[in-house]
Amino acid sequence: MKVVGMQPTVGRLCFRSKLVLAPMVRVGTLPMRLLALDYGADIVYCEELIDIKMLQCRRVENEVLETVDFVAPDEKVVFRTCQREKEHVVFQMGTADPQRALRVAQLVENDVAGIDVNMGCPKEYSTKGGMGAALLSDPDKIEAILRTLVKGVSKPVTCKIRILPSLEDTVSLARRIEKTGVAAIAVHGRKKEERPQHPVHCDVIEAVAKALSIPVIANGGSLDHVRVHADIAAFQAATGASSTMLARAAMWNPSVFRREGSLPLEEVMTQYLRYAVRYDNHASNTKYCLCQMLREKLESPLGKQLHAAQTTADICEVFGLQDFWKETEDRLQHRQSTVPAKNLNTEDLSEDSDVIKMPVKFDRREYPPQITPKMFLLEWSRKEKLPQPVYETVQRPLDRFFCSTVTAAGRKYRSTVWDKSKKLAEQAAAIVCLRSLGLPEGRLGEADSGLVNKRRREDPAGNDVAEEPAVTPSEKQQPSLPRER
């Protein structure tokens, strides 16, 4: 038997003798997949994504992050991938309908290496629509979905199942699946009612492997069978499988894929965080994955600091990556400023000749606590008996950055630098206005102007919550925009 991790992936994705990162909800996002590849995984599966949700998405080439994004109507990125993983990533979908499955597969097939159908997840969010493990009781539907996909897409199609109550039924279902033309089948060696604390049935996986001619990928061995890289070959031998798929062992420490052995956890977490920052991963998802790695160390000083962190910047501070975060932010800001407006899928703001513009960015560290440029502009307007400043903010779908224009004293002002937060974009617009008018803005070291005497409470995003809100014409009808990620 050939040991996993030895055969290179060339051309059409091959599923023999491979180390595979399992699909894991909330964990299998781009940073984790890239980290697994770095450490030696041959194939990486994305988290299960539901067909109906994917069909609402549009494909966007994100020139700022150098990624391909599938973006929902609410502008949230549902699936993000990049060139680095294009020949290695398998897109896993949750589906119970052949035609919906085909439409999703055709939407993503040019950006991934393979298509997988989840037939093993026992959780309610997957089974309630007849998806996941619910499909195991409907082999006719399984066959219809897989045959439709095999005929309809150019990339290899796989599926992931759990074992059935009897060995005979499991082997029978696997043989039916093989006849649909799939390239491989992943078998989680537990029944749908069993959980990680139950032993994995290596004998059933072995029976399936012996009965089929296509590659069988063994899954479910984390902890009981696989704790370190050296355990993988033994698990593969025990199951007779062609390849091994790891879930929990990889979630706890993705360097389990390293032939040379696992790395110290904090080193792995730091590398994960670098990818999360580089590819603008949502802070809550980044925090969740890092907490999964810490496991029983969540009550340690590091774990408590991580638990308290709210933003990506906060998380980076916990791991001593403040400079890396700032450098990456600056680099992305510069890159987004050079992307042609026609590629941003938003209006070309540069054509507004009546708007006064400057390339400025609000940096919270340059201002005293509870003092903001918006506060200074508001107080100046009141002092001059002028209308309250009005902020009009747009969000760019490509990267979800914001740009705000403030109208004050009869003129419009805007920063040419787009920002990740609506509130910070408004502060930048206020800075442009104040500097254009030669007014103080409240920066540290600035002479006391006496313009703002009352200290006001400010939220972490830099918004002065005590000042009267600037109402835009559209805010009355639209929901509030997303907060900083």
Side-chain angles (χ1 to χ4, degrees):
M1 181 185 65
K2 197 172 184 179
V3 179
V4 296
M6 298 296 291
Q7 182 174 325
T9 300
V10 179
R12 186 177 173 87
L13 192 61
C14 171
F15 292 88
R16 292 192 184 277
S17 302
K18 300 297 182 183
L19 282 175
V20 186
L21 175 70
M24 290 179 280
V25 173
R26 296 186 69 185
V27 174
T29 47
L30 183 58
M32 180 62 79
R33 301 197 304 268
L34 294 178
L35 195 59
L37 289 174
D38 286 351
Y39 289 141
D42 301 295
I43 299 171
V44 290
Y45 280 60
C46 75
E47 61 178 332
E48 177 195 24
L49 296 169
I50 305 303
D51 56 1
I52 294 175
K53 188 170 186 177
M54 281 299 300
L55 288 176
Q56 299 172 10
C57 294
R58 68 183 189 282
R59 180 183 182 275
V60 176
E61 293 187 15
N62 188 328
E63 295 184 34
V64 176
L65 295 177
E66 298 177 320
T67 60
V68 174
D69 299 341
F70 292 84
V71 184
D74 61 1
E75 302 303 336
K76 291 183 179 178
V77 177
V78 176
F79 176 57
R80 170 167 286 161
T81 185
C82 67
Q83 186 64 34
R84 165 75 174 90
E85 68 169 2
K86 187 173 182 179
E87 302 302 322
H88 305 273
V89 63
V90 175
F91 179 90
Q92 188 189 68
M93 74 175 84
T95 186
D97 181 87
Q99 292 307 312
R100 282 204 306 266
L102 178 60
R103 288 168 58 198
V104 172
Q106 291 173 337
L107 176 66
V108 304
E109 68 172 317
N110 291 329
D111 299 301
V112 299
I115 304 294
D116 183 82
V117 178
N118 179 357
M119 300 181 180
C121 181
K123 300 295 180 65
E124 183 184 359
Y125 62 78
S126 186
T127 60
K128 64 182 178 182
M131 301 177 290
L135 285 170
L136 296 175
S137 59
D138 194 344
D140 290 339
K141 183 174 287 186
I142 288 177
E143 187 173 337
I145 291 171
L146 294 177
R147 287 191 183 279
T148 299
L149 288 174
V150 170
K151 291 179 181 178
V153 297
S154 59
K155 298 296 171 68
V157 176
T158 65
C159 68
K160 184 171 182 288
I161 68 169
R162 282 190 171 231
I163 63 175
L164 298 177
S166 74
L167 186 150
E168 293 76 16
D169 288 343
T170 304
V171 172
S172 176
L173 176 62
R175 283 176 170 155
R176 253 187 106 164
I177 289 173
E178 181 180 34
K179 290 178 182 178
T180 65
V182 295
I185 179 172
V187 181
H188 184 137
R190 293 183 178 87
K191 301 169 187 177
K192 65 180 181 180
E193 65 272 11
E194 292 180 329
R195 293 298 178 264
Q197 63 267 27
H198 295 102
V200 62
H201 301 277
C202 293
D203 58 324
V204 180
I205 301 176
E206 184 179 25
V208 173
K210 287 180 178 178
L212 304 187
S213 60
I214 60 172
V216 172
I217 306 168
N219 176 232
S222 293
L223 193 61
D224 290 343
H225 292 267
V226 179
R227 294 174 180 264
V228 296
H229 185 91
D231 298 331
I232 295 174
F235 179 59
Q236 184 176 337
T239 59
S242 305
S243 298
T244 299
M245 175 181 280
L246 298 179
R248 290 175 297 148
M251 175 179 70
W252 295 328
N253 189 335
S255 70
V256 69
F257 290 114
R258 288 182 82 245
R259 191 181 309 172
E260 303 83 359
S262 297
L263 295 171
L265 188 58
E266 284 195 35
E267 180 179 341
V268 174
M269 295 173 76
T270 298
Q271 289 303 112
Y272 171 85
L273 184 53
R274 285 178 176 271
Y275 272 131
V277 172
R278 164 65 181 86
Y279 289 102
D280 194 25
N281 199 51
H282 198 289
S284 64
N285 180 255
T286 299
K287 180 176 175 179
Y288 175 83
C289 291
L290 291 171
C291 286
Q292 298 307 305
M293 295 184 204
L294 276 179
R295 299 173 66 199
E296 68 275 3
K297 296 180 182 178
L298 279 173
E299 293 303 315
S300 68
L302 177 64
K304 291 179 179 179
Q305 291 178 60
L306 177 59
H307 180 73
Q310 297 299 316
T311 66
T312 298
D314 293 340
I315 299 171
C316 285
E317 186 171 353
V318 172
F319 288 88
L321 291 179
Q322 305 97 309
D323 291 343
F324 175 76
W325 178 81
K326 185 67 168 62
E327 290 167 5
T328 304
E329 287 290 293
D330 291 344
R331 186 167 61 252
L332 294 178
Q333 286 280 4
H334 173 73
R335 188 179 295 165
Q336 61 89 13
S337 69
T338 65
V339 176
K342 62 183 176 62
N343 294 333
L344 299 180
N345 196 25
T346 190
E347 59 183 302
D348 185 355
L349 300 177
S350 63
E351 298 301 319
D352 296 340
S353 58
D354 62 330
V355 179
I356 297 174
K357 309 179 193 71
M358 289 183 191
V360 301
K361 183 177 174 66
F362 174 71
D363 188 337
R364 173 71 270 178
R365 295 169 296 182
E366 296 178 357
Y367 296 82
Q370 303 177 336
I371 295 295
T372 68
K374 283 181 66 177
M375 183 187 302
F376 267 70
L377 182 56
L378 178 64
E379 292 300 328
W380 177 79
S381 299
R382 286 171 172 169
K383 181 179 178 181
E384 297 297 319
K385 295 182 171 52
L386 295 171
Q388 177 176 317
V390 175
Y391 295 85
E392 298 178 79
T393 305
V394 296
Q395 184 181 31
R396 186 166 59 189
L398 174 71
D399 53 12
R400 301 181 69 201
F401 277 45
F402 296 87
C403 185
S404 185
T405 302
V406 61
T407 301
R411 295 296 305 269
K412 293 183 178 181
Y413 304 86
R414 175 192 305 143
S415 172
T416 56
V417 179
W418 291 65
D419 209 300
K420 291 177 64 178
S421 161
K422 175 178 181 286
K423 298 303 182 184
L424 297 181
E426 290 176 353
Q427 297 288 2
I431 292 173
V432 174
C433 178
L434 292 165
R435 292 182 184 178
S436 299
L437 297 174
L439 297 171
E441 58 189 80
R443 295 178 67 172
L444 290 168
E446 207 174 69
D448 185 9
S449 65
L451 189 61
V452 175
N453 296 315
K454 183 180 178 182
R455 297 285 173 172
R456 301 186 181 204
R457 183 170 57 86
E458 181 186 86
D459 71 15
N463 182 44
D464 177 16
V465 297
E467 66 189 30
E468 293 181 14
V471 180
T472 67
S474 59
E475 281 179 336
K476 294 180 180 179
Q477 291 82 28
Q478 298 179 352
S480 59
L481 290 164
R483 296 179 67 88
E484 181 178 3
R485 304 205 294 167

